Amino acid sequence: MKAFWPKKLSHLQQRELIGAGQYGLVYRVFNPELDTHTVIKLIEVQQENLQNARKRFLREIKSLNRVRSEHIVRMLNSWVEPDFLAFEMEFIQGTSLDRLQVPLSRIPYSRKEKFILDLVEQLCQGLADLHCQDLVHRDLKPSNILIQLKEVAEHSSPENILQELLDRPDFLVKITDLGLVRDLSASASITGTKEFIGTAAYVAPEQAKGEKISPATDLYSLGVVWYELITGKNPFYQKNILKTIEAHLTLEPPAINLFVPEFPLDLNHIVMLLLQKDPKLRYFTAQRLKSTLEERRKPPEEQRFQLQNILPPPDTYRQKAEFSCERCFRRVQEQLKERDVLLVVDPDPDFLSGCFSHLGEQKGETD
């Protein structure tokens, strides 16, 4: 898409083109009325081949108007004109997550665990705020995840920004680019029923097949992002887009512990649940996942997992060979010796009964 600037936006100063794609142009500008930098996204709508892009743009404006969340980039203004569409968003000082992936992959898990869990919890809240408005993002990926960090130098390297993030708890995660958002309450979709839409490396199987989507579609993408942050590898990456999509449909992700042996068993189960092919087996809602992670991060003396509330029914989740019940049982028994309570996700009723009994013995009570 060629660069252009409408006269109606001439009051915005210091224009800098920072992005251009199929669905619009993105400028960083200075808004003298607000006395701050903002971001303008706009599209020229006179070309016939941009009609679908125009519909998506209007839907993004509508969606941003509906959502009020500190974890979704905030819209400040919008313009719907005969020759162009545009909206103004807050400018996020910091970086996008994709810039941090390479340096993050070089850092030991123990050093980056807190940062990753913080980030995932904030993403959960952003997704929960979208989902409660019947909106599904459909394109959650590192480049659409912004990390706001105040007082960071504008041209800092990804390595320097990452070091700041690992040492400071005050960063804020924001989801951006609602151009592919699906309104579940709308009567019709912009795309055809069987049309693929999204980003191949992070797309959920049902989305890749053009089937019905749901909030669980975003949770699958979150699972891929989370897996990538832990291991430094995308679990479904192949040499081309078609093979990558096929991997989402047919291949199981390699066990995280193959790459990160110290990765906690309970978190491993959660990530693997998010990556289930069948959306009904992913179990978690964004809010439930956030609550589970918050509970897990409490001091040991305050932890109180309600296992019966976070375990899926026994017949709805089946472990893969490398996470068989027997192996899980041995590892859980070892970890139970070190913690008062452990989040366990496993399908075997007898195994669960034993876990509850063991937990009750450790706490001097029965759940």
Side-chain angles (χ1 to χ4, degrees):
M1 182 178 294
K2 65 178 182 179
F4 76 101
W5 189 258
K7 291 183 179 179
K8 192 159 188 174
L9 304 183
S10 59
H11 62 288
L12 300 171
Q13 306 167 359
Q14 302 176 19
R15 298 190 299 272
E16 176 188 358
L17 183 64
I18 58 175
Q22 181 181 358
Y23 302 118
L25 303 169
V26 182
Y27 289 87
R28 178 184 173 182
V29 301
F30 180 78
N31 186 323
E33 294 180 2
L34 301 177
D35 193 29
T36 189
H37 284 95
T38 61
V39 172
I40 295 289
K41 185 173 181 179
L42 73 159
I43 186 173
E44 201 170 14
V45 296
Q46 294 176 327
Q47 303 177 46
E48 287 296 323
N49 62 341
L50 292 180
Q51 289 310 301
N52 267 354
R54 180 181 185 276
K55 291 177 182 178
R56 289 195 179 99
F57 208 93
L58 287 170
R59 182 159 291 183
E60 184 170 8
I61 291 175
K62 181 180 177 182
S63 300
L64 285 169
N65 267 325
R66 278 169 59 177
V67 179
R68 293 292 181 269
S69 170
E70 67 172 345
H71 298 295
I72 306 292
V73 170
R74 182 165 51 98
M75 187 173 72
L76 305 173
N77 205 347
S78 63
W79 299 265
V80 179
E81 303 293 337
D83 57 337
F84 77 94
L85 304 173
F87 59 87
E88 184 176 17
M89 301 175 287
E90 60 179 328
F91 172 73
I92 305 302
Q93 183 180 9
T95 186
S96 56
L97 181 59
D98 60 316
R99 293 186 64 217
L100 303 180
Q101 286 179 286
V102 172
L104 193 64
S105 68
R106 304 190 187 112
I107 295 176
Y109 179 74
S110 58
R111 171 79 169 109
K112 62 186 178 183
E113 180 181 56
K114 184 179 184 303
F115 164 71
I116 292 175
L117 291 177
D118 258 341
L119 184 143
V120 170
E121 283 183 26
Q122 293 190 50
L123 285 175
C124 285
Q125 187 59 62
L127 290 176
D129 293 336
L130 277 175
H131 296 164
C132 75
Q133 294 293 328
D134 289 326
L135 300 174
V136 178
H137 190 281
R138 293 200 296 181
D139 199 23
L140 187 71
K141 57 184 178 181
S143 60
N144 286 340
I145 297 169
L146 304 181
I147 303 175
Q148 185 177 52
L149 186 62
K150 296 180 179 179
E151 300 176 1
V152 64
E154 182 175 347
H155 299 292
S156 293
S157 68
E159 290 78 8
N160 289 340
I161 293 176
L162 181 57
Q163 290 304 317
E164 287 277 338
L165 288 168
L166 293 176
D167 294 328
R168 289 171 53 181
D170 60 337
F171 67 89
L172 187 63
V173 177
K174 290 180 178 279
I175 299 170
T176 189
D177 196 350
L178 273 61
L180 300 185
V181 72
R182 176 73 167 97
D183 184 350
L184 299 180
S185 64
S187 57
S189 171
I190 292 172
T191 56
T193 304
K194 295 295 182 181
E195 182 180 346
F196 169 75
I197 190 169
T199 301
Y202 303 92
V203 69
E206 67 274 16
Q207 186 176 341
K209 292 186 289 186
E211 296 177 350
K212 182 179 179 180
I213 65 165
S214 68
T217 302
D218 285 341
L219 289 172
Y220 181 94
S221 300
L222 174 62
V224 178
V225 171
W226 193 355
Y227 186 109
E228 211 169 35
L229 293 175
I230 298 160
T231 67
K233 304 175 186 296
N234 185 296
F236 303 107
Y237 175 78
Q238 303 292 322
K239 293 183 178 179
N240 61 56
I241 291 177
L242 290 179
K243 288 185 177 180
T244 298
I245 293 174
E246 184 181 359
H248 283 287
L249 298 177
T250 61
L251 299 183
E252 298 302 330
I256 294 176
N257 296 98
L258 294 176
F259 308 108
V260 186
E262 68 272 28
F263 187 61
L265 177 65
D266 53 346
L267 292 180
N268 178 86
H269 280 310
I270 292 174
V271 176
M272 290 304 175
L273 273 175
L274 297 180
L275 295 178
Q276 291 292 293
K277 308 299 183 189
D278 185 343
K280 295 178 182 177
L281 304 186
R282 289 174 205 150
Y283 178 69
F284 287 101
T285 64
Q287 191 61 57
R288 177 183 286 170
L289 177 53
K290 178 175 182 288
S291 299
T292 300
L293 294 177
E294 286 175 340
E295 184 70 20
R296 185 184 185 279
R297 295 181 66 176
K298 291 179 180 179
E301 64 274 11
E302 297 179 15
Q303 287 184 4
R304 176 64 179 173
F305 287 112
Q306 297 295 323
L307 293 181
Q308 62 269 38
N309 294 333
I310 55 180
L311 287 167
D315 58 352
T316 63
Y317 173 64
R318 188 58 54 189
Q319 295 282 350
K320 308 308 172 190
E322 62 266 37
F323 297 112
S324 65
C325 293
E326 291 76 17
R327 181 179 175 185
C328 286
F329 182 79
R330 290 195 300 270
R331 296 190 62 194
V332 168
Q333 292 287 65
E334 293 173 0
Q335 292 196 22
L336 280 171
K337 297 175 183 177
E338 302 173 2
R339 303 174 61 118
D340 286 338
V341 182
L342 177 74
L343 166 61
V344 181
V345 181
D346 197 281
D348 189 287
D350 294 332
F351 171 65
L352 291 182
S353 176
C355 283
F356 284 123
S357 174
H358 195 137
L359 288 170
E361 292 171 5
Q362 288 224 336
K363 296 184 69 65
E365 62 188 57
T366 54
D367 277 325

